Amino acid sequence: MANSKLYKGSLQTIILNLLEQNDKMYGYEITQKVKQITNGELKITEGALYPALHKLEAEGFLDVEIINFGNRMRKYYKLTEQGETENVNRLVELQEFIKNMQIMVNPKFSLE
Amino acid sequence: MANSKLYKGSLQTIILNLLEQNDKMYGYEITQKVKQITNGELKITEGALYPALHKLEAEGFLDVEIINFGNRMRKYYKLTEQGETENVNRLVELQEFIKNMQIMVNPKFSLE
DNA sequence: ATATTATGCATAAGAAAATTATGTATATAT
DNA sequence: ATATATACATAATTTTCTTATGCATAATAT
């Protein structure tokens, strides 16, 4: 996913959030979007992405729609209602995580 | 470590940074310090901590000094020169990670 | 008195999430 | 013809963590 291990555990958060912002997306599109908005710093590998999408779907957070685009196939994913709720929770967790990491690496943050 | 998966991959960064700030610490002290500065939100388990310390030591980032404190034993860890360099790199990675996550969940950040 | 909690180390089994390596197939550019 | 891009997928392996267990001493609560 990237040179740093920090991204471990953040893939689902990223996927849920992109789908909140973009209504529906297919797998390859997600990899390109992430590469684009991080200026190439973050590359999501297929071996991580597809299993993650399948898991989120199995948990009821995503719905799939298969589209035949020309002669190729695309699987469009979108958030279910449950998925929208989950996304809100994940964003809260992300902000708490970032806050705690900032505090730890720079104790002055805790004085705010 | 916590309710959220996001902390996966961040333990080494946390350890290196605490040792930068506190010169030398022993394992149990690290768990208590982290609990304290995150108001109990982040609890580092022993099953994660001790293997992580051993790994950082094996990689040459930490030096150990065994102290007999009363009848108990403490293993004090401190950064090697290599460890200090590594810590700087990890902090840069952390800030880049946070920046990228902020951009992804809130595209407005990219306009700064 | 004695049971629990705190202090302090450690490892082993298992789960979760990733990497790396494949595999299939079409489209396009050199 | 060959490489790159698009588009899906899975399998083997590695990394990192959780959960469970083990040993031992010290302090505190009942």
Side-chain angles (χ1 to χ4, degrees), chain B residues 61-73:
Chain B
F61 300 137
L62 303 184
D63 270 343
V64 197
E65 193 192 352
I66 297 176
I67 301 280
N68 287 312
F69 182 75
N71 265 337
R72 287 210 206 92
M73 176 241 252

Side-chain angles (χ1 to χ4, degrees), chain A residues 1 11 45 47 55 72:
Chain A
M1 227 171 140
L11 181 54
T45 59
K55 200 185 176 203
R72 288 213 205 91

Side-chain angles (χ1 to χ4, degrees), chain A residues 1-4 6-7 10 13-14 17-18 21 33-43 91 94-95 98 102, chain B residues 92-110 112:
Chain A
M1 227 171 140
N3 47 323
S4 124
L6 294 167
Y7 292 91
S10 63
T13 299
I14 292 169
N17 198 262
L18 282 178
Q21 291 166 7
K33 191 77 179 176
V34 166
K35 211 197 293 182
Q36 175 214 318
I37 60 187
T38 64
N39 285 313
E41 281 179 52
L42 182 51
K43 284 167 192 156
L91 289 186
L94 177 62
Q95 295 308 333
I98 289 175
Q102 294 282 18
Chain B
V92 171
E93 275 181 14
L94 177 62
Q95 294 308 334
E96 279 171 2
F97 166 70
I98 290 175
K99 184 199 70 186
N100 279 331
M101 291 303 290
Q102 294 283 18
I103 289 172
M104 276 186 286
V105 303
N106 190 349
K108 288 168 197 160
F109 274 85
S110 62
E112 285 172 25

Side-chain angles (χ1 to χ4, degrees), chain B residues 6-22:
Chain B
L6 293 167
Y7 292 90
K8 243 185 212 301
S10 63
L11 181 54
Q12 290 194 1
T13 299
I14 292 169
I15 292 171
L16 292 172
N17 198 262
L18 282 178
L19 290 176
E20 173 69 43
Q21 291 166 8
N22 297 282

Side-chain angles (χ1 to χ4, degrees), chain A residues 48-111:
Chain A
L49 178 68
Y50 292 114
L53 287 170
H54 300 161
K55 200 185 176 203
L56 288 169
E57 187 197 350
E59 289 170 328
F61 299 137
L62 302 184
D63 271 343
V64 196
E65 195 192 351
I66 297 175
I67 301 281
N68 287 312
F69 182 76
N71 264 341
R72 288 213 205 91
M73 176 241 253
R74 282 180 182 172
K75 288 180 79 172
Y76 276 95
Y77 290 91
K78 68 184 306 181
L79 292 182
T80 60
E81 256 184 71
Q82 239 198 94
E84 299 204 32
T85 305
E86 185 69 10
N87 182 51
V88 174
N89 295 336
R90 298 293 184 109
L91 289 186
V92 172
E93 274 181 15
L94 177 62
Q95 295 308 333
E96 280 172 1
F97 167 69
I98 289 175
K99 185 199 68 184
N100 279 332
M101 291 302 290
Q102 294 282 18
I103 288 172
M104 276 186 286
V105 302
N106 190 347
K108 289 168 197 160
F109 274 87
S110 61
L111 304 176

